[in-house]
């Protein structure tokens, strides 16, 4: 077997992008400050639901104010689109206007856009705008929204329901429950969360009057898709009249995929004023204006045979859409429902999916986009089933896991799992965590006045199906390699990962590979980054384009070295006659007279026809202080199947980060709206808790990979997986301890110290403990 390439696939290459970032040389949108530039701010609604009239005359006359846009000035613009529809039950969504007209529907709804010489002058103008508010009844939370007589968010959506559709086979599921020995049930809340990436959204619009051309610099997850939506659906202008540039992006997590109101408004303002406009969100803008995540209420039941086999699963799922439909909003609960059977052989499945309007910020994709919600439901339900039958969590899983010999396996919801050995990664996680010795640790903890709990969650997700991605790989004049691709890094390490794919074939070090993303003028097409698709899709394109370029370079080298291309090999940036010291460098190939320029670059396009299905087991061990309710994670083991590992360091970083986001949701994160007036109670970091390093464990992470059969590289997407397995593992561990000591079999996320303390006190009273 040939030795691995030093910087190639499977090697722990350090992130090449980090040197600039840790030295403060990263260039984010807010760092782009062309002068002179005007500054913009948004006026937002203080009410969850209200009629209003607006008068901006006074504000328009204030010093430094150049422009104020209200609904009256942008009536010719298209609404923000929702790109999801149901073939089985088409629906018509309400309008999502660029600025609200006459009525607002959530706190933070956009009312006016102010452009001034300075931020302070824009703030003064916003305060001077005269808005007359007439508050209307509002509703928050899907349970309240579907109640008889609840306030209506939209008059033409009775009961506040957008759609109410089935997934699966109700008749077969009812039959399975009719013959069940027992039924396990959970009713759970997956709380709303707020993304809170490090870099808030920002945009700079520069207008060239001579060409009637706009350049937008935006911290987004994809320049091409953003341009297509803005130009084609909102601004109604030719795409060639707009260039979108995405510089460094400080976190995305799905929330930066969408075309927000400010992007259209800053474009309109720049054209009207023929000047450069800059807008940067502060954290309050982010809390009240950016799409939020999760927010499902679910009841799930499992029909059980006497021996513990799963006979059928029935689910009622309500997903909160907020006040408007964000870009992919309705897809999240509906798509997530397709993953509810998890890793289990469940022949009969049915889910009722309802998407519900409330007077809150719209909800859309957030790291995992429906798959974390699904994994949380099934893994909580499986533990409940184990308790129902007196089985251990691992035993009931072993009994019901889909076996490797059943692959490819088509689930009851139509997903086709191509590969995996689910028992193996669960078994390995239990070995690493020393599961067998847990009772001893629990006994020792009890002597110290603490409660130990242990729990696991085995998850699966579908990802990597964003569509076509094209990569162009070119030989530079100095012999370096450039990659142009339409994906967009927001911290994942694309520069390094793509460089490794080139190194695998050319043997060049990462510093000689240059990746360009996020510029619609230099890159013809692109999907952006989302759904863990960049390596499963973009990586294949890079690998194939590199291979094609290598073949072309061998043709040029064969002429230069007077030999056959079949006698040549490429390594260390040289093309060499195999078995000899005769070679020609990449730089000399690039400079060779008379070379057809088309021979110096190659393109490849790939689309993942079937999803990749990463899977794995998360195992958490927690320590609970019953006197305070405080929870500490004392051990955390992850064993994942990602098919093939491209870079172990990058992979570990993705998994650690995702797991910490899940831990944050499990223990502390929750967006809370007041039930009385719809105010966002957790509207700042004073009230919204994010996990710190001290809240997380020292992770043990390893892989038990089974190559993907539907992906040419064998890889399975990895960017969202950590956030999928973590929530149920942590909550199952908490409940295991609480059940053993206090017969508490339920607690909702976030399992804050207060919630745990109250649950223990109530259980002590109920059971006389």
């Amino acid at each position: 077997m040939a030795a691995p390439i030093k910087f190639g696939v499977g090697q722990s290459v350090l992130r090449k992008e980090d040197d600039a970032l840790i030295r403060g040389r990263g260039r984010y949108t807010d760092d782009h400050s062309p002068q002179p530039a005007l500054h913009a701010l948004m006026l937002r609604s203080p009410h969850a639901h209200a009629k209003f009239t607006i008068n901006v005359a006074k504000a328009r006359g204030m010093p430094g104010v150049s422009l104020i846009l209200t609904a009256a000035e942008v009536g010719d613009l298209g609404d923000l689109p929702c790109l999801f529809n149901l073939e089985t039950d088409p629906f018509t969504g309400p309008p999502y206007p660029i600025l609200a007209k006459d009525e607002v529907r959530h706190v933070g709804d956009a009312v006016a856009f102010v452009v001034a010489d300075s931020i302070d002058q824009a703030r003064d103008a916003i305060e001077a705008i005269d808005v007359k508010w007439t508050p209307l009844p509002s509703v928050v939370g899907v349970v309240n929204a579907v109640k008889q007589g609840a306030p209506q968010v939209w008059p033409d959506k009775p009961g506040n329901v957008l759609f109410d559709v089935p997934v699966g086979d109700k008749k077969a599921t009812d039959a399975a429950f009719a013959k069940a020995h027992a039924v396990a049930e959970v009713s759970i809340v997956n709380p709303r969360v707020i993304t809170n990436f490090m870099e808030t959204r920002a945009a700079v619009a520069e207008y060239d009057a001579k060409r009637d051309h706009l350049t937008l610099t935006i911290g987004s997850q994809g320049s091409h898709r953003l341009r297509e939506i803005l130009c084609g659906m909102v601004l109604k202008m030719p795409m060639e009249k707009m260039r979108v540039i995405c510089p460094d992006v400080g976190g995305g997590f799905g929330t930066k995929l969408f075309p927000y109101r400010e992007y259209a408004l800053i474009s309109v303002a720049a054209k009207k004023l023929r000047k450069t406009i800059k807008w940067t969100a502060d954290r309050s803008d982010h809390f009240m204006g950016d799409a939020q995540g999760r927010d499902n209420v679910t009841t799930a039941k499992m029909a059980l045979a006497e021996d513990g086999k799963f006979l059928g699963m029935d689910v009622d799922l309500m997903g909160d859409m907020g006040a408007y439909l964000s870009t992919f909003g309705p897809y999240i609960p509906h798509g997530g429902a397709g993953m509810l059977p998890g890793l289990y052989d469940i022949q009969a499945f049915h889910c009722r999916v309802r998407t519900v309007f409330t007077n809150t910020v719209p909800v859309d994709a957030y790291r995992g986009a429906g798959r974390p919600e699904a994994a949380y439901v099934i893994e909580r339900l499986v533990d409940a089933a184990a308790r129902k039958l007196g089985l251990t969590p691992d035993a009931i899983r072993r009994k019901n896991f889909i076996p490797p010999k059943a692959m490819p396996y088509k689930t009851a919801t139509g997903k086709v799992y191509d590969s995996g050995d689910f028992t193996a990664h669960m078994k390995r996680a239990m070995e690493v965590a020393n599961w067998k010795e847990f009772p001893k640790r629990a006994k020792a903890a009890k002597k110290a006045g603490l409660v130990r709990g242990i729990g696991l969650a085995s998850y699966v997700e579908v990802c990597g199906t964003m569509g076509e991605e094209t990569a162009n790989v070119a030989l530079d004049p100095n012999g370096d390699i450039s990659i142009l691709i339409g994906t967009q890094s927001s911290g994942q390490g694309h520069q390094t990962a793509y460089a490794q794919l080139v190194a695998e074939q050319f043997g060049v070090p990462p510093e000689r590979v240059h990746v360009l993303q996020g510029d619609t003028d230099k890159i013809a097409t692109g999907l952006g980054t989302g759904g863990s698709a960049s390596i499963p899709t973009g990586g294949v394109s890079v690998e194939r384009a590199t291979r094609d370029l290598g073949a072309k370079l061998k043709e040029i080298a064969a002429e230069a070295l007077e030999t056959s291309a079949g006698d040549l090999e490429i390594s260390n940036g040289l093309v060499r006659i195999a078995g000899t010291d005769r070679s020609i460098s990449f730089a000399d190939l690039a400079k060779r007279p008379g070379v057809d320029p088309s021979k110096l670059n190659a393109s490849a396009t790939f689309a993942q026809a079937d999803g990749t299905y990463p899977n794995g087991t998360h195992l958490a061990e927690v320590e609970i202080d019953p006197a305070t309710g405080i929870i500490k994670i004392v051990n955390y083991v992850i064993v994942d199947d990602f098919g093939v590992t491209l870079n172990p360091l990058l992979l570990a970083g993705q998994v650690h980060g995702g797991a910490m986001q899940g831990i944050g949701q499990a223990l502390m994160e929750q967006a809370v709206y007041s039930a009385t007036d719809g105010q966002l109670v957790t509207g700042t970091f004073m009230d919204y808790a994010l996990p710190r390093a001290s809240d997380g464990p020292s992770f043990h992470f390893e892989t038990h990979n089974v190559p993907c059969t539907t992906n040419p590289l064998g890889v399975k997407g990895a960017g969202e997986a950590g956030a999928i397995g973590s929530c149920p593992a942590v909550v199952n561990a908490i409940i295991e301890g609480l059940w053993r000591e206090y017969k508490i079999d339920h607690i909702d996320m976030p399992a804050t110290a207060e919630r745990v303390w109250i649950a223990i006190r109530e259980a002590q009273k109920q059971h006389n403990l």
Side-chain angles (χ1 to χ4, degrees):
M1 181 180 291
I5 304 298
K6 182 177 180 181
F7 302 109
V9 171
Q11 302 303 299
S12 293
V13 178
L14 294 175
R15 285 168 42 116
K16 60 176 292 187
E17 46 269 87
D18 282 354
D19 183 73
L21 297 177
I22 62 178
R23 294 175 188 270
R25 294 175 184 164
R27 297 292 296 171
Y28 298 88
T29 302
D30 193 52
D31 294 318
H32 183 58
S33 297
Q35 297 299 326
L38 303 177
H39 298 268
L41 287 177
M42 187 79 84
L43 173 61
R44 300 185 181 278
S45 168
H47 298 280
H49 196 191
K51 294 283 189 181
F52 73 96
T53 60
I54 185 168
N55 187 333
V56 299
K58 178 182 175 182
R60 278 187 174 134
M62 294 181 66
V65 175
S66 298
L67 181 68
I68 298 179
L69 297 174
T70 67
E73 287 78 37
V74 295
D76 58 330
L77 299 184
D79 296 328
L80 291 180
C82 175
L83 301 182
F84 173 75
N85 214 330
L86 285 171
E87 292 181 7
T88 56
D89 187 14
F91 62 86
T92 301
Y96 192 169
I98 298 301
L99 287 171
K101 180 181 180 182
D102 302 329
E103 188 171 345
V104 291
R105 287 181 167 84
H106 68 85
V107 171
D109 210 347
V111 173
F113 193 68
V114 177
V115 180
D117 291 345
S118 70
I119 288 289
D120 288 339
Q121 288 170 324
R123 287 195 182 100
D124 290 343
I126 279 179
E127 291 180 5
I129 294 175
D130 182 18
V131 185
K132 305 295 186 187
W133 302 101
T134 304
L136 300 171
S138 62
V139 64
V140 301
V142 293
V143 174
N144 294 326
V146 299
K147 288 179 179 177
Q148 188 79 22
Q152 287 291 115
V153 181
W154 294 97
D156 62 339
K157 301 300 175 188
N160 291 312
V161 174
L162 172 66
F163 65 69
D164 182 343
V165 296
V167 175
D169 187 334
K170 188 174 190 321
K171 184 177 180 181
T173 304
D174 288 345
F177 275 81
K179 64 180 182 181
H181 166 72
V183 174
E185 179 177 347
V186 293
S187 292
I188 56 179
V189 175
N190 201 302
R192 181 180 293 224
V193 292
I194 299 172
T195 306
N196 282 309
F197 23 64
M198 287 194 292
E199 178 209 17
T200 57
R201 288 190 302 112
V204 179
E206 300 169 77
Y207 182 64
D208 183 341
K210 291 182 180 179
R211 294 192 298 143
D212 183 29
H213 185 272
L214 273 167
T215 297
L216 287 184
T217 301
I218 295 177
S220 168
Q221 288 176 235
S223 53
H224 294 83
R225 187 190 296 261
L226 193 62
R227 183 180 65 165
E228 288 168 10
I229 294 173
L230 283 176
C231 291
M233 299 182 180
V234 182
L235 299 171
K236 301 172 185 176
M237 60 183 282
M239 282 199 296
E240 60 268 22
K241 292 292 185 179
M242 177 183 285
R243 177 187 186 185
V244 177
I245 299 171
C246 292
D248 289 326
V249 180
F253 310 117
T255 306
K256 283 184 182 167
L257 268 172
F258 320 125
Y260 289 96
R261 290 161 148 170
E262 294 87 358
Y263 305 157
L265 291 167
I266 201 171
S267 300
V268 170
K271 286 191 72 172
K272 280 182 178 290
L273 297 173
R274 301 190 169 213
K275 292 183 178 180
T276 297
I277 317 291
K278 183 172 182 177
W279 170 83
T280 301
D282 62 19
R283 195 58 66 169
S284 291
D285 277 318
H286 171 65
F287 272 93
M288 295 190 295
D290 291 5
Q292 298 175 354
R294 312 288 189 242
D295 208 344
N296 289 354
V297 174
T298 309
T299 297
K301 300 176 183 179
M302 190 76 80
L304 304 167
E306 190 170 0
D307 65 354
K309 285 288 288 180
F310 298 160
L311 302 177
M313 182 178 177
D314 191 61
V315 183
D316 185 294
L317 186 162
M318 289 191 290
D320 197 331
M321 295 291 94
Y324 301 103
L325 296 183
S326 187
T327 311
F328 304 111
Y331 167 78
I332 311 306
H334 189 269
M339 296 307 298
L340 278 166
L343 295 171
Y344 306 100
D345 181 16
I346 302 172
Q347 296 296 315
F349 172 87
H350 170 260
C351 180
R352 179 189 184 188
V353 183
R354 282 175 284 175
T355 49
V356 182
F357 288 111
T358 62
N359 291 114
T360 60
V361 174
V363 173
D364 209 319
Y366 169 69
R367 200 168 193 169
R371 285 92 81 197
E373 296 91 315
Y376 184 64
V377 169
I378 182 63
E379 289 305 290
R380 286 285 308 275
L381 182 58
V382 168
D383 264 29
R387 286 191 295 272
K388 186 82 174 181
L389 296 177
L391 297 173
T392 62
D394 57 307
I396 199 167
R397 285 173 170 82
R398 284 190 179 92
K399 187 175 287 288
N400 289 283
F401 276 152
I402 300 161
K405 66 182 180 182
M407 302 297 175
Y409 176 92
K410 187 173 183 178
T411 72
T413 62
K415 306 297 182 184
V416 180
Y417 300 164
D418 66 285
S419 59
D421 189 343
F422 312 142
T423 299
H425 55 61
M426 183 183 71
K427 178 183 177 184
R428 176 58 183 159
M430 294 173 69
E431 289 172 353
V432 173
N434 198 6
W435 181 281
K436 290 182 179 179
E437 297 297 315
F438 172 74
K440 294 180 181 178
R441 299 194 294 276
K443 186 177 180 180
K446 191 170 184 177
K447 285 183 179 180
L450 302 171
V451 175
R452 281 244 175 172
I454 194 167
L456 55 82
S458 295
Y459 75 92
V460 63
E461 72 148 325
V462 58
C463 59
T465 53
M466 289 278 284
E468 283 189 352
E469 191 64 74
T470 298
N472 182 277
V473 179
L475 180 64
D476 297 337
N478 65 352
D480 287 358
I481 303 295
S482 287
I483 300 171
L484 278 70
I485 190 166
T487 54
Q488 178 63 51
S489 179
S490 57
Q492 297 92 335
H494 291 179
Q495 295 271 351
T496 304
Y498 292 148
Q500 287 182 256
L501 291 167
V502 173
E504 182 72 14
Q505 297 184 54
F506 290 172
V508 295
E511 59 266 23
R512 290 189 58 191
V513 181
H514 313 287
V515 179
L516 179 65
Q517 303 176 95
D519 189 332
T520 57
D521 267 17
K522 296 181 179 179
I523 302 162
T525 62
L527 294 171
T529 288
S532 301
S534 289
I535 299 306
T537 304
V540 174
S541 300
V542 169
E543 191 270 346
R544 290 181 172 179
T546 304
R547 191 177 301 279
D548 289 348
L549 178 60
K552 291 180 178 182
L553 296 182
K554 284 182 180 180
E555 290 179 16
I556 302 170
E559 182 180 331
L561 296 172
E562 299 180 335
T563 188
S564 167
D567 294 332
L568 299 175
E569 62 183 12
I570 299 177
S571 64
N572 300 317
L574 299 170
V575 184
R576 176 185 293 107
I577 299 176
T580 75
D581 59 0
R582 291 186 61 204
S583 65
I584 184 170
S585 71
F586 278 8
D588 286 340
L589 283 175
K591 298 170 186 173
R592 187 165 173 78
V595 171
D596 181 350
S598 68
K599 298 287 188 181
L600 300 179
N601 67 77
S603 293
T605 299
F606 177 73
Q608 180 82 34
D610 300 305
T612 71
Y613 291 91
N615 57 89
T617 294
H618 285 226
L619 191 154
E621 189 169 333
V622 301
E623 207 165 60
I624 305 166
D625 183 351
T628 63
I630 292 174
I631 296 168
K632 181 181 180 182
I633 300 174
V634 294
N635 191 22
Y636 202 105
V637 176
I638 306 169
V639 182
D640 280 323
D641 173 4
F642 292 126
V644 169
T645 298
L646 177 56
N647 181 319
L649 282 178
L650 288 180
L651 182 60
Q654 285 287 290
V655 172
H656 289 181
M660 277 303 297
Q661 282 184 292
I663 288 169
Q665 183 178 0
L667 297 181
M668 62 194 69
E669 289 191 55
Q670 183 177 16
V672 177
Y673 288 86
S674 167
T676 57
D677 59 7
Q679 289 295 318
L680 178 59
V681 178
T682 52
T684 73
F685 284 142
M686 293 291 288
D687 308 291
Y688 187 92
L690 285 179
R692 303 181 181 187
S694 59
D695 296 309
S698 177
F699 294 101
H700 175 96
F701 166 64
E702 63 182 71
T703 56
H704 186 283
N705 288 336
V706 180
C708 178
T709 63
T710 62
N711 182 273
L713 296 178
V715 302
K716 302 171 183 178
E720 298 156 304
I724 296 172
S726 47
C727 287
V730 171
V731 176
N732 279 345
I734 294 168
I735 292 175
E736 191 277 334
L738 294 178
W739 170 254
R740 189 177 65 251
E741 295 296 330
Y742 306 107
K743 298 304 177 186
I744 297 170
D745 63 359
H746 175 77
I747 196 163
D748 271 323
M749 297 190 291
T752 61
E754 180 185 26
R755 281 186 176 178
V756 172
W757 187 89
I758 290 172
I760 291 172
R761 297 301 171 273
E762 290 178 347
Q764 287 173 330
K765 290 179 183 178
Q766 180 181 351
H767 302 295
N768 295 316
L769 298 174

